[in-house]
Amino acid sequence: MVAKAPICLRQGRRSGFTLIEVLVVLGILVILFALLFVPMTSSLSMVSSGRTQADMQQRLRLTMEQLQRDLSEATYVYPPEVIRIPSATPQQNGFLVNYSTLSMILPAKDSSGQPLEPLQADWQSVPGGTKMQLVTRYAVHTATTITRKWAAGSPGNPGGNDKYFQVSTSPGPENAFQLYRQQGFMRWDDDLQTYTFGSWTDLNADGVVSANEFQIDRPLAENSQTARIGSDVVVSKTVCRDNGQAVDGYVPVDDAAVPPVDPALGAGWTAQVVYLFDNMNFQPLRVAEEQMAMSADGSVYRASRGGWLGLLNDGTKRIVDLVWGAPLQWINSSELRPRIFVRRWTGAGSGYLLTEMDTDALDPNSAQPDADTNNLLTLRWNSQTGTVLVGDVMPVPDQINNNPGVMFGTASGDPGAAFWPLAAGQPRADLLPEWPVTPNSAMDARAPVGYVIDPWQVEGINQPWNPYRSQGQASARDVKVMPETIRIWLVWREAGKSQTTRKEFSLSSSVDPQQLGAYQFLATPFDDGKRVEIKFNPGLPAGPDLIASQLAAGTGMTLDICQIQVTYQARRNFDPATGNDDQIMVSYSSASLYSVALGLSEYSPYEIFDTTKPYLRPFKTGAQALLSARVATANMGR
């Protein structure tokens, strides 16, 4: 029997991968792709961010160049907007200066883009039949805006007229805050007590644009200086015009007709908000505690720069007029307005340590000082020239009647033989005539050969033109006359004629009165440094005889008017005990130089950092572009 071989069953070969193997391979592939594509994605993001940053930097450079051209040609630069923070007492209103806008008047240009000569503004007709100067403004807002009504009678708008604003809508990737160069009009607003920029539009949709349909912040035309997509100007502060609340960051405003009121922001918070931007900042140069230089004649003190901003003054308004006058103009905006303080030499001779006056210490709620109070010094300033005047001209003369000076009585016949006495009731008690002898013949001088100017003599005379009228002080002379400011005129008119002749004298450097010409005079201070003696040639003193000799009129001329007018400047900013002049220090913001900061960020949404309040944090990531410079301006209208 043949044995059979055992039957072997062949095992089948595997035809695929196990699940574990597949997962391992996929994991390896994921790691490999991650190692490959993450740097690639990051590189692409960096390239995109770099392109955005390069674009922002290029736009900022072009904007700075345009801004420098505008400021160098500007005939007038407006002060920054002062946002008033309302209070129950108007004198206690606060303030917030908006440095995020810059407004100026540029000259009209010819077809080649060159300013017309002589320089002139571009005037355009506006509703109401008038013309206004076209204003160029740099400002920030979103690409999409809406019109909001600000009802009259609210704390921030106490007047009787509704106001309309163009306000920014909620920002987004394609609606970010951007810088614009705008054209429009600037007009003074009595309710807001500031200049407002805007234009006229048909607000009531009746087809007619009337003079009262002025929309604030709405330009006639504008050009975006920064890209509308990709970049953003970060909101640093939100301010409510109605209740004065200001918070850091961005507060969204409901676009609905009736805005919500958030108790966390304070009662009265409305959609009438102002957004401020630290990265778009146009701040005028601030000069701190500069000692002013006194002019040679002592009549004026001058700062190194003019164009003072804040509370503008053409040199005619005194401190008392601004602080206690109406309408109220004195606001606590020391950040902008000039601060002037006077330092006096101490009696002990230890230096200028006594603060005689400080404008920042004046309170409109306190009682107005009387006219003889020394610490106000009759001070005023000129914003355009950057000068301070201490004292006043006494008096301001006119042709005939107002503060006429020294009057001579009338006489008929030949003035060379008649006696010309001083007219009775002389109004100028500060001019004391000096007679060498009592005139009683044609050989004697029939007019004083000189006068003593003594402002103290008018103390107690309640003349409106006299800034030194007394309220009971009579213990010391604290008024100083500056000889170089004295001006003298001889005024006359022949009887029967309507024309009045006015001849001015000139100050001579001679020391001998006999050497003086017919229309010359000497001015000699007294030893006390306060009074001044003026002298004429004793042979031809200022009076009727001088007129007759100069005209060679002969006999028979009759004068019905003959007078001497004298003006001079007197001041009190000196130490009466030592005679040392005070030092005048000033801090001011000048429109002659601006510190400009331009900044952009790559757009990213604002973040909520307090869930109980609707504040949004201006936290931005991505590319940043910053540019700053000091830009000079001619500001010829400052």
Side-chain angles (χ1 to χ4, degrees), residues 601-605 607 619-624:
S601 299
E602 188 173 357
Y603 180 81
S604 61
E607 297 181 345
F619 179 75
K620 297 293 181 179
T621 60
Q624 306 283 324

Side-chain angles (χ1 to χ4, degrees), residues 363-629:
D363 182 6
N365 292 311
S366 64
Q368 178 179 338
D370 60 67
D372 196 52
T373 299
N374 194 38
N375 64 2
L376 293 186
L377 304 174
T378 321
L379 185 145
R380 50 207 164 98
W381 71 85
N382 188 303
S383 301
Q384 177 177 344
T385 59
T387 53
V388 168
L389 297 90
V390 182
D392 214 337
V393 174
M394 302 178 54
V396 178
D398 67 0
Q399 285 286 331
I400 299 298
N401 298 314
N402 186 28
N403 308 322
V406 177
M407 294 288 293
F408 292 90
T410 60
S412 59
D414 182 5
F419 172 58
W420 289 81
L422 297 180
Q426 288 296 310
R428 289 298 298 275
D430 54 332
L431 297 179
L432 308 178
E434 293 183 317
W435 297 87
V437 294
T438 302
N440 54 24
S441 70
M443 300 302 295
D444 298 329
R446 278 173 294 279
V449 298
Y451 298 85
V452 175
I453 301 179
D454 187 359
W456 195 257
Q457 294 295 325
V458 299
E459 296 285 353
I461 301 176
N462 193 22
Q463 297 281 359
W465 52 265
N466 173 24
Y468 304 109
R469 58 185 183 272
S470 176
Q471 301 295 324
Q473 286 190 358
S475 58
R477 296 179 184 272
D478 60 351
V479 181
K480 178 188 290 188
V481 178
M482 282 142 308
E484 292 82 1
T485 65
I486 299 172
R487 300 184 67 184
I488 301 174
W489 296 267
L490 184 60
V491 181
W492 69 88
R493 185 177 66 194
E494 289 188 56
K497 295 186 177 181
S498 59
Q499 182 177 1
T500 300
T501 304
R502 194 167 186 255
K503 178 71 174 181
E504 184 173 2
F505 286 65
S506 61
L507 177 63
S508 174
S509 58
S510 175
V511 295
D512 183 4
Q514 299 286 346
Q515 303 299 319
L516 294 177
Y519 287 96
Q520 290 184 315
F521 70 97
L522 298 179
T524 306
F526 277 60
D527 291 340
D528 59 11
K530 301 168 186 176
R531 296 169 292 169
V532 174
E533 181 186 39
I534 56 177
K535 284 280 192 179
F536 306 109
N537 188 314
L540 288 174
D545 286 351
L546 175 59
I547 298 172
S549 67
Q550 294 296 301
L551 296 179
T555 60
M557 182 180 68
T558 301
L559 301 178
D560 62 0
I561 290 178
C562 186
Q563 70 179 73
I564 294 178
Q565 294 178 344
V566 179
T567 67
Y568 59 90
Q569 186 166 325
R571 57 182 173 86
R572 311 180 88 159
N573 62 314
F574 66 96
D575 179 18
T578 64
N580 291 328
D581 289 326
D582 297 338
Q583 289 182 345
I584 297 186
M585 314 295 292
V586 61
S587 298
Y588 58 92
S589 296
S590 173
S592 64
L593 189 65
Y594 275 80
S595 296
V596 178
L598 304 178
L600 291 172
S601 299
E602 188 173 357
Y603 180 81
S604 61
Y606 292 86
E607 297 181 345
I608 297 177
F609 65 95
D610 187 341
T611 57
T612 64
K613 299 177 181 179
Y615 310 164
L616 297 181
R617 181 170 55 182
F619 179 75
K620 297 293 181 179
T621 60
Q624 306 283 324
L626 299 173
L627 185 62
S628 62

